[in-house]
Amino acid sequence: MAIIIEPFRIKSVEPLTFTTRPQREQILKEAKNNLFLIKAEHVLIDLLTDSGTSAMSAKQWAGIMVGDESYAGSQSFYRFQEVAKKITGYKNIIPTHQGRAAEKIIFSILGGKGKTFVSNTFFDTTRGNIEYSGAEALDFLTEEGKIPQHIAPFKGNMDTVALEAFIKNRGAENIPMCVMTITNNSGGGQPVSMQNLRETAAICRKYGIRFFIDACRFAENAYFIKKREKGFENKSVLAISQEIFSLADGCTMSAKKDALVNIGGFLAINDDALALESKNLLIITEGFPTYGGLAGRDLEAMAQGLEEVLDEEYLKYRLRSIEYMGEKLSAAGVPMILPTGGHAIYLDAKAFLPQIPASEMPGVALANALYLEGGIRGVEIGSLMFGKYDENGDHIAPPMELVRLAIPRRVYTQSHIDYVCEIIIEVFRKREQYSGYKITYESPLLRHFTAHLE
Ligand code: F0G
C-alpha cells in the first residue's frame, strides 16, 4: 500500500515536555502510582482519551472569532442546526455542553424504576445516567465481539436474536429505548454494520420501542461500513451517515469525538413532544435551547467540525493510523484486541503480563510501565476500573484486563506513533521484569480516578 500521509499541515504548534526516567519515577511515586493524578505537562504522548483532545482546523478557529454570543437566536446556533440536520435528518436539534448532558436529559425523562434500556454496549456515562434514574441498562453484544483476538469486520454488532428474545420476555412496554453505540467504545472501538442497524431498527419498530444512536464516533463507523460492507463501496460517508440516522428516532452525541471540538454535544429527536419536554429540562440544566450550555463560538466550531469529519481523506488517514499501529505491534507479537477499532488500541494486559494475577492489576502495571519507559499515558480498563469485592473482601475481576491507548484526532504524527510502538515493544521485550500493584486508598465510587497504589 502506498503511504498514507497526514492530510493536513501544521499552522500552530504546542511544545512537548521531555522528562528523564528518574524524573518520571519520582513523578509517578508522588502521584501514588495513578496516572490520573500526574500533571499533563509531565506526559510526553497523552493517549488517555480521544475525547475533547482534537486539534481544531484553521476554519474552526476562524469560526471561534465569528461566533455569535446572543443569548437567544444566535446565528451560530442556526448554522450548527443546519449542519446537524443535514447529517442526521432529525427534526429537533438540541445543543448540550457534552454527550452526558444529552444523556442526562433524555434518560431522566424516559427512565425510572421498573424500566429497562437495551444496547449493543452502553458507554459508562450512558449506563450511569440510566441507572441514576432508577432504571436498568442491559447489553446485547454479539458473541464474536467478546473474543479479543477473533477477527471479524463488525464486532460492535447487536445480538439481535438475544435482543428480540429479551423483548418478548420482558415486555416492550417496559423498554423505553434501544441504543446503538457507534462505534462501540467499550468493546474496543469496533463498528456496527448497516445490516445490523437495519435489523435492530426493524425489531424496535415491530415492538414499538424507540431506537436511538449514541453517535459519538458516527463518521468512523460510517467509513468502516464503506470499507467493509458490500454495497457501500461507492457511497459517500455523508450518505452512509444519513442512512444510519434515518433508521433511528434520534441520537445523543458527544461532539468531543467526531465533531472535532474540545467541548460540545447535542441531543436530536424526531418526536416533537419528547423534544419539547427535553428543551424544558435543558433550560433548567444547560441553558436556552439556542445555546444549551455552550458559547456561540463553540456551536460555530462544532458546525465546522461536523463538516470536516466527513472528509474521506481525513477518515482514510484516521482509520489507517490506528490500523498501522496495530500492524506494527502485532508483528512484534504484542497482544491486543483485533482487528483494531476506529479510535484506539486496546492492549491485552492479561496476555502481556501473565505473571501478574488480576487482583494485582496487570493493566495498571502495563500502563505505568509505558509511562516510566517512555512518558506515554494510556488508561487501564480492567480490575482497577471495574473490579469488585465479594463478601469476604476477595477480588472479583472483570472479564478483560486492558490498557486503552486512544489517539486524539489530528494531533500526533506518524513519528509520534512510531515512537509509541517502539516503547510498547520495548516494554513487551522486558515483560518478565514487571510486577503488580495493590490499592492503598480507594473511594467508594469510580475509584480508578483517585486511587492510591503501591
Ligand atoms: N458515549 C460514548 C460512546 C463515549 O465514548 C462517551 C465519552 C460518551 C458517550 C460521553 O460523552 O464525554 O462528551 O460526556 N467517552 C470518553 C472516552 C470520555 O474517553 O471514551 P461526553
Side-chain angles (χ1 to χ4, degrees):
M1 184 188 283
I3 188 164
I4 292 171
I5 61 170
E6 286 84 4
F8 48 79
R9 56 184 181 178
I10 296 165
K11 192 190 277 285
S12 178
V13 298
E14 236 184 318
L16 294 175
T17 348
F18 290 83
T19 51
T20 61
R21 165 104 202 198
Q23 284 171 332
R24 290 194 291 277
E25 277 166 12
Q26 187 60 29
I27 290 164
L28 194 58
K29 197 169 140 210
E30 281 167 14
K32 311 291 182 195
N33 295 300
N34 184 342
L35 291 172
F36 277 106
L37 303 180
I38 63 178
K39 288 183 179 163
E41 66 180 285
H42 294 145
V43 177
L44 183 62
I45 308 279
D46 204 346
L47 308 181
L48 187 59
T49 179
D50 65 321
S51 180
T53 52
S54 300
M56 293 211 295
S57 66
K59 280 193 179 166
Q60 283 178 296
W61 284 109
I64 293 281
M65 285 309 296
V66 298
D68 173 0
E69 304 304 337
S70 306
Y71 190 95
S74 153
Q75 284 179 56
S76 302
F77 169 74
Y78 290 105
R79 161 137 200 251
F80 158 68
Q81 178 179 248
E82 188 186 323
V83 178
K85 272 195 178 175
K86 177 182 79 180
I87 298 170
T88 67
Y90 299 130
K91 277 168 73 185
N92 302 282
I93 307 289
I94 303 168
T96 60
H97 79 277
Q98 60 181 71
R100 69 196 72 179
E103 293 162 5
K104 168 88 177 127
I105 288 171
I106 195 74
F107 296 120
S108 44
I109 295 171
L110 296 176
K113 262 203 166 47
K115 309 249 172 79
T116 303
F117 289 79
V118 292
S119 178
N120 52 340
T121 309
F122 284 108
F123 180 67
D124 320 9
T125 57
T126 323
R127 169 179 297 282
N129 275 299
I130 290 169
E131 290 174 352
Y132 188 72
S133 82
E136 106 186 296
L138 296 180
D139 296 339
F140 293 88
L141 181 66
T142 173
E143 285 303 319
E144 60 185 15
K146 296 175 190 164
I147 313 162
Q149 262 88 13
H150 175 76
I151 304 287
F154 293 105
K155 288 173 76 178
N157 279 354
M158 181 87 77
D159 181 340
T160 49
V161 176
L163 175 71
E164 185 162 13
F166 176 79
I167 295 171
K168 280 189 188 153
N169 190 29
R170 180 77 174 87
E173 66 284 6
N174 302 310
I175 308 174
M177 185 187 283
C178 170
V179 179
M180 191 73 97
T181 308
I182 63 172
T183 59
N184 182 12
N185 183 7
S186 315
Q190 301 292 326
V192 175
S193 70
M194 190 69 85
Q195 189 192 339
N196 191 256
L197 280 152
R198 285 178 186 150
E199 285 167 9
T200 306
I203 292 170
C204 290
R205 211 170 316 115
K206 179 168 159 193
Y207 293 94
I209 296 171
R210 267 181 216 88
F211 182 38
F212 265 57
I213 308 284
D214 177 340
C216 302
R217 300 177 180 86
F218 75 94
E220 289 169 6
N221 199 101
Y223 196 73
F224 273 120
I225 289 176
K226 183 176 173 115
K227 288 287 134 189
R228 295 183 181 172
E229 197 165 352
K230 223 175 156 314
F232 292 94
E233 310 75 356
N234 299 319
K235 291 210 166 132
S236 70
V237 168
L238 172 61
I240 296 170
S241 303
Q242 287 166 331
E243 184 171 342
I244 292 173
F245 288 114
S246 76
L247 294 167
D249 304 300
C251 72
T252 54
M253 172 78 187
S254 167
K256 299 171 75 172
K257 286 83 169 173
D258 269 356
L260 301 170
V261 289
N262 306 118
I263 196 73
F266 63 90
L267 173 63
I269 310 177
N270 267 341
D271 179 338
D272 289 330
L274 187 57
L276 185 62
E277 212 177 328
S278 301
K279 282 183 197 169
N280 288 337
L281 193 50
L282 182 86
I283 290 172
I284 56 168
T285 56
E286 289 280 293
F288 191 72
T290 62
Y291 74 86
L294 292 166
R297 61 180 87 99
D298 298 325
L299 294 164
E300 202 72 41
M302 225 165 37
Q304 181 61 30
L306 283 170
E307 301 268 20
E308 289 176 10
V309 81
L310 297 170
D311 173 359
E312 297 187 18
E313 286 301 330
Y314 159 75
L315 286 167
K316 179 161 82 176
Y317 139 80
R318 169 75 179 157
L319 297 196
R320 176 64 194 146
S321 63
I322 316 283
E323 185 185 52
Y324 167 83
M325 198 172 163
E327 282 169 8
K328 260 196 144 167
L329 296 173
S330 289
V334 175
M336 73 188 89
I337 295 188
L338 290 171
T340 47
H343 68 291
I345 293 281
Y346 292 71
L347 300 175
D348 181 348
K350 216 190 275 188
F352 200 117
L353 299 172
Q355 72 275 25
I356 303 178
S359 59
E360 292 175 18
M361 297 171 288
V364 172
L366 177 54
N368 287 0
L370 296 177
Y371 179 71
L372 291 172
E373 203 63 46
I376 297 162
R377 175 158 70 173
V379 64
E380 187 256 13
I381 307 181
S383 278
L384 179 60
M385 194 180 272
F386 294 124
K388 296 201 168 86
Y389 297 107
D390 67 12
E391 59 276 18
N392 304 320
D394 290 327
H395 178 74
I396 309 172
M400 291 198 257
E401 303 289 340
L402 303 172
V403 172
R404 183 183 80 168
L405 302 170
I407 312 299
R409 293 169 181 78
R410 307 191 293 204
V411 170
Y412 294 115
T413 62
Q414 186 173 344
S415 59
H416 292 118
I417 297 296
D418 284 335
Y419 169 80
V420 171
C421 291
E422 242 174 56
I423 297 294
I424 296 170
I425 292 165
E426 177 65 13
V427 169
F428 187 59
R429 207 178 48 77
K430 299 197 295 201
R431 62 192 177 277
E432 276 160 25
Q433 75 181 47
Y434 299 103
S435 51
Y437 284 86
K438 69 171 189 234
I439 298 175
T440 56
Y441 160 78
E442 62 185 296
S443 64
L445 284 173
L446 301 175
R447 66 178 182 182
H448 56 285
F449 288 126
T450 53
H452 297 175
L453 302 134
E454 66 179 28

